[in-house]
Each structure stands twice: as C-alpha cells, then as structure tokens.
Amino acid sequence: KIFKAGDTNQDGQLDFEEFMQYLKEHEKKMKLAFKSLDKNNDGKIEASEVVQSLKILGINISEKQAEKILQSIDADGTMTVDWNEWRDHFMFNPATDIEEIIRYWKHSTVLDIGDSLTVPDEFTEEEKKTGQWWKQLLAGGVAGAVSRTGTAPLDRLKVMMQVHGSKSNKMNIASGFKQMLKEGGVRSLWRGNGVNVVKIAPETAIKFWAYEQYKKILTGEDGKLGTVERFVSGSLAGATAQTSIYPMEVLKTRLAVGKTGQYSGMFDCAKKILKREGPKAFYKGYIPNILGIIPYAGIDLAVYELLKSTWLEHYASSSANPGVFVLLGCGTVSSTCGQLASYPLALIRTRMQAQASVEGAPQLNMVGLFQRIVATEGLRGLYRGIAPNFMKVLPAVSISYVVYEKMKQNLGIA
C-alpha cells in the first residue's frame, strides 16, 4: 500500500523523491487524524478522548480499553500520546484515518457459516468512492459459495435430522450419512447446495442496499449513528433480504429432503410446489425465520463485543491488532452462540418448509408445531441436527476466511 501510494509516476519503482513526497502527504493525513482525536487541543491524546472519538463512530469502549490502545502507541509511559509518538507509530502504517485504525476489530461478515442472519458489513466513505466495497462484497460472496459447497454434506444431514429425526427414528451422524449414500449415492450429499450458493448474490446485494437505506432513516439530527441504531438497521436489512429471497430457502429445504428423481432441479421443484400447493407454499416457515434474526444477530454481536473487550483488556500489550487466529476464534464462538439461541426457531422453520413433502405429516402452524415437538420429544427435540450444524462451523469459517483472503489478493484489495 505504501509502494502504491508513493509511486506517483507508475513506473513500478519508488525513488527517493516519491518516497519523500509520500512521507509528507502521509504526515499531513496523520496530523489531521491526531487533531480529530485531540478534542481539547492540548497537543496530547488522552484515554477519555479516544473513548469520545470511538463513540462518534458508533463503538463503545471503556476507559480501561482506551488506555490499552494508548499503551501500544505511548513510548514514554506517560499514558498520553503526543504528536511525535503518534507520528512514529503510524508513519509506516498506511492507515490514514481513525476508521482505518480501528478496522482491525471490525466484525466482518466474511465468516460464512451457511446461515444468512448476520448484520451487514460497514464500509467507509472512501471505500464507497473508490469502489472497494463491491470488491469486498464479491470476495465475500465467492468465499461463501466455496465454504457452503465444502460443508454442504453436513448441512444436508442437519436438514434431514431436523425433518425426519424423532424418538422413533433415532438418526445420528453415521446413520444419517449411510441413509443418504444408500438412497442417492455420493452426489446426493450436495442436494440443495446449488440454491444455497445462488441465493448469496441477491441476498448480499439487497442486504447491503437496505442497510444503507435504514441507516439514513435512523441517523439522528446531529448526523451520528449509535450502536443501537446500527444494530436495528442491520436487523431490518437482514429481514428485508430474507423476505426477498425466502422462496429460495424453501426450495433449498425441499431439494435437501427430496428423494432421488423427485425433482430434476431448482426450477422443476419450484414448478411442482406452485402446481400442488400454490404461491403461499413459498413462504412457509417465514415467521419463525424472521423471529430468529433478532436473537441470532443480537447474541452474535454481544458475544463478539464481550470477547473483543476481554482480549483488549487482558492481552493487548503491544498492539491493538489481535491477529488472524484471535479474530477467527472470536467470530466462530460468537456465531456459534447466536446459532444456539436461534436454533429452535430454525428447526421449526425447516419443519414448516418441509411439512407438505413428508407423507402423513399434519400441516401445523408455528405454535402448534412447537407444542407438538415439546410434547412428543421434549426440549431436546428442538435441537435435533445441532451436532452436524456445529461440526460445520469451524471448517466453514476457515474455508471462507482463506478464500476471502485469496480473492482480496486477486482483486487488488489492500
């Protein structure tokens, strides 16, 4: 990034003149960033000023966490940062503004675990102007497609256990795989994955657009957007995207629980559902699906924030950058907790989507289905299929992260 910014004549080399020019320009930007943090203009940045500045960006941290951030920059141990310390710390770090410095800890939606309930990603004004945002969305979409394809057998097993698992039909991981292989061979393990991959593009686009619109509506008169407003905007954007692509969710479930030869593909499945059950069938299970967004996204964000705060408080000694493994770990744990909280709703949604295709199954609504599951199988029945669901989290997160990083390199995203 330094090389790109400095090489003004684009000759592929950075000469002394260009390097000096880069340093001057970069110093100017760092001076502006320093001044924007130094609220009382005393030439020093204190912990309270860091707290205040991050609050404006919609991020709430404690004074203790702000001190940890300052410690990583503070060279003389005064617990304040003067201009010289600030410049020395960021001179060869191409971060040019406060938003970029705090981006280490941005809770990214790159970690695709196959469930599309996450709050959308934030993009800075610069990213929107330079077109970096669509490259990041494209990289995330490709990462999601590869990740979902890689973990599709576990995802189909989860759906089968949710729909067919009961006290009388004790389906576990081994017997479930055996059953699927016997019924349709190895290819059948990827049944329904096509729709799951195809829906990434429209869902991401709608979610991103809707998030920007809701943020505009909820921005206060002072032009600031707080954490609550961001969360509400994100949840509403998720609900809008889910509403738009929900028929594809129903198709995915029907294809996953379908028998070999029942449907020749996605369009054949849609035609048969429309003919037999009418257009209403494409929104079966919609209510539990929308209700699941709030506990999932809320707990996911809350756990992530808690883990982030803990790390910054206890382990951030030399830098505020936690590194790949800590970020991946925090993302995995938080999304797993979110899934755990919203899983009963996800199970009821899947059962409602599949009800008509299961012979002899009564057509129940959300409350009726919930009561029936609890009465016949107990509370454990609401968590059928959670084992393969958890088994796919770690490989899904790892695959999506690796592919995302590779895509970023190929698309030239810094």
Side-chain angles (χ1 to χ4, degrees), residues 134-148:
W134 71 261
K135 288 182 179 177
Q136 285 188 36
L137 286 179
L138 176 63
V142 173
V146 176
S147 159
R148 289 179 189 197

Side-chain angles (χ1 to χ4, degrees), residues 250-271:
V250 176
L251 288 177
K252 181 205 147 195
T253 301
R254 288 291 179 92
L255 286 163
V257 296
K259 291 183 170 69
T260 304
Q262 191 175 349
Y263 307 113
S264 62
M266 186 166 79
F267 295 108
D268 179 51
C269 180
K271 236 192 300 183

Side-chain angles (χ1 to χ4, degrees), residues 57 99 130 142 239 242 258 266-267 270 284 302 313 329-330 333 374 382:
L57 292 169
E99 287 187 12
T130 56
V142 173
Q242 282 280 300
M266 186 166 79
F267 295 108
K284 278 183 178 170
E313 226 158 273
C330 292
V333 172
V374 173
L382 294 170

Side-chain angles (χ1 to χ4, degrees), residues 351-352 355 361-370 372-373:
R351 286 251 179 125
M352 285 176 79
Q355 268 178 153
Q363 303 297 301
L364 300 167
N365 63 14
M366 184 177 82
V367 178
L369 197 54
F370 183 83
R372 185 166 177 261
I373 292 168

Side-chain angles (χ1 to χ4, degrees), residues 290-336:
I290 291 298
L291 290 176
I293 289 175
I294 304 296
Y296 181 97
I299 288 166
D300 183 15
L301 278 179
V303 172
Y304 188 82
E305 288 299 316
L306 179 72
L307 294 171
K308 178 179 89 172
S309 310
T310 308
W311 191 89
L312 283 170
E313 226 158 273
H314 301 288
Y315 304 103
S317 49
S318 57
S319 163
N321 182 358
V324 173
F325 291 110
V326 175
L327 281 177
L328 280 182
C330 292
T332 307
V333 172
S334 66
S335 55
T336 303

Side-chain angles (χ1 to χ4, degrees), residues 75-95:
D76 56 10
T78 55
M79 282 317 292
T80 58
V81 172
D82 60 26
W83 163 241
N84 288 331
E85 289 171 323
W86 177 264
R87 186 190 55 207
D88 292 349
H89 186 79
F90 287 113
M91 184 55 82
F92 294 109
N93 177 347

Side-chain angles (χ1 to χ4, degrees), residues 42 101 178 187 230 258-259 305 365 375 384 395:
D42 64 349
I101 292 160
K178 224 180 273 177
R187 270 189 70 182
R230 276 175 208 274
K259 291 183 170 69
E305 288 299 316
N365 63 14
R384 288 215 182 273

